[in-house]
Amino acid sequence: MEALRYKEIDYVIRRPENETEGKKYPLVIYLHGAGGRGRDISLIKNHSFFAHSAPFLKEAFSTGPQCYADSWFDIFEQLQDFIEFVISDQAVDRERVYLTGASMGGYATWQMGMTRPELFAAIVPICGGGMYWNSGRLVNTAVWAFHGDSDPTVFPEESKKFINNIVAWGGKKARLTIFENTGHNAWDPTFANPEMWKWLLEQRNSYVETENKFDDVKKYG
């Protein structure tokens, strides 16, 4: 796993095992919660997302950018730019780009999915919330949301509103799992769930290839 910097955003990336030239691989992007903010990239390197996902993403890219501001929404345009940059890697399968995030990252996952639905084959928002009334933009995106039933920080009703609204708009690929006797940390049981990873990697998206115009990545850490 490498620590790098793209413009102002530090990030870590884990490449596929035994990566083969000319072969394309899925990409999973993880957006962390409030506890990962800042410039200490070890907070992202050591996040349980990477530990839990390792057995399931041996043949995939996985990456986690770090929010250096107060929230992802403060640097939302930069986050979009970063996502376009990581997707531009010639080894990334554009039909298999996935976005997930927890808590603050769950909010950003919902919003990014609605803002750029054409980019993602599927999104997995965890204990997030936001502008659920706009979730009709996700009717053609595969969505599996997760939440703890006893979350005191972000109430599970937030996820329920999103999924119910997508279904009301005619979405047929939206689902929700509520963990019983679980507080805010719904991410560990989500990322340790083999069924979730199997489902995620089965999703496909038609994505139009664009020219790779990103060339200012720097090594970091």
Side-chain angles (χ1 to χ4, degrees):
M1 188 155 46
E2 291 183 285
L4 304 169
R5 176 172 291 175
Y6 172 69
K7 296 184 178 178
E8 293 300 313
I9 293 185
D10 300 328
Y11 69 102
V12 296
I13 186 164
R14 183 173 58 200
R15 303 185 73 87
E17 291 185 6
N18 304 312
E19 185 177 352
T20 303
E21 186 176 356
K23 184 177 179 180
K24 292 188 179 293
Y25 299 86
L27 166 68
V28 180
I29 303 165
Y30 173 67
L31 304 180
H32 65 77
R37 293 173 296 183
R39 288 293 188 187
D40 180 0
I41 199 65
S42 68
L43 296 174
I44 311 305
K45 276 186 172 181
N46 297 326
H47 194 279
S48 61
F49 163 78
F50 289 101
H52 285 311
S53 65
F56 309 105
L57 298 180
K58 292 180 179 180
E59 294 297 315
F61 288 93
S62 51
T63 188
Q66 184 171 36
C67 179
Y68 63 85
D70 187 60
S71 79
W72 287 117
F73 296 105
D74 292 333
I75 57 169
F76 199 71
E77 289 186 4
Q78 293 177 57
L79 179 59
Q80 287 188 67
D81 183 42
F82 169 79
I83 290 172
E84 290 176 348
F85 154 66
V86 291
I87 291 173
S88 75
D89 190 306
Q90 294 301 305
V92 169
D93 183 348
R94 306 294 183 86
E95 294 185 1
R96 302 179 71 193
V97 176
Y98 311 108
L99 181 67
T100 184
S103 193
M104 182 181 80
Y107 276 82
T109 297
W110 280 121
Q111 187 58 47
M112 188 62 71
M114 293 186 293
T115 302
R116 300 296 304 276
E118 77 281 3
L119 294 183
F120 308 108
I123 64 171
V124 179
I126 305 165
C127 56
M131 297 187 290
Y132 68 89
W133 56 87
N134 199 37
S135 60
R137 291 177 59 82
L138 293 169
V139 292
N140 295 316
T141 303
V143 179
W144 193 351
F146 293 84
H147 222 117
D149 65 345
S150 304
D151 190 336
T153 306
V154 181
F155 297 150
E157 284 71 25
E158 292 288 325
S159 291
K160 293 176 183 177
K161 288 176 183 177
F162 265 100
I163 298 301
N164 290 341
N165 202 56
I166 294 170
V167 172
W169 275 97
K172 301 184 184 304
K173 298 187 289 184
R175 59 194 294 189
L176 171 63
T177 293
I178 301 292
F179 295 117
E180 295 183 358
N181 304 313
T182 301
H184 190 49
N185 183 358
W187 51 89
D188 280 338
T190 299
F191 295 140
N193 181 358
E195 182 184 353
M196 187 280 290
W197 291 112
K198 181 177 183 297
W199 171 89
L200 187 71
L201 295 171
E202 288 174 347
Q203 308 308 312
R204 298 292 188 278
N205 180 35
S206 297
Y207 185 83
V208 178
E209 188 164 318
T210 55
E211 181 182 357
N212 182 353
K213 60 183 183 297
F214 303 97
D215 59 3
D216 55 349
V217 133
K218 295 186 292 186
K219 287 276 187 180
Y220 177 72

